[in-house]
Amino acid sequence: MSHTKLVRSAGRFGSRYGRGIRELVSEIESQYRNKRLVCPYCNYKAVKRIAFGIWYCEKCGKKFAGKAYSIK
Ligand SMILES: [Zn+2]
């Protein structure tokens, strides 16, 4: 976890969006943040998102880019 940069997930949207939308996005992102996905390389459920579109497998150590909310 040490490499994970902790930034409030809604911060980058600035003030262009309404408060309601930013809270919704933050809520959605927090759901995926805590969810482990199956690694396409080792098939172990150890993949987590470390940044927007960046995934990291704790089992085999692979780091790969993907879509924001899913690997495939
Ligand atoms: Zn893996």
Side-chain angles (χ1 to χ4, degrees):
M1 287 286 291
S2 61
H3 54 272
T4 304
K5 191 178 175 188
L6 291 175
V7 177
R8 276 176 57 89
S9 58
R12 67 180 178 275
F13 292 104
S15 57
R16 287 183 298 147
Y17 296 93
R19 186 164 173 268
I21 290 173
R22 276 187 290 148
E23 285 182 355
L24 183 64
V25 169
S26 186
E27 188 176 303
I28 291 169
E29 289 196 341
S30 68
Q31 288 174 7
Y32 283 94
R33 212 196 322 277
N34 298 325
K35 191 174 164 188
R36 299 275 162 99
L37 297 175
V38 175
C39 176
Y41 297 99
C42 67
N43 287 323
Y44 197 85
K45 196 175 182 184
V47 174
K48 61 181 185 177
R49 195 168 65 103
I50 58 171
F52 200 79
I54 310 282
W55 301 83
Y56 174 72
C57 175
E58 293 182 321
K59 179 70 175 177
C60 67
K62 289 254 186 201
K63 195 188 285 185
F64 49 95
K67 292 188 176 176
Y69 297 128
S70 67
I71 295 171
K72 292 171 183 174

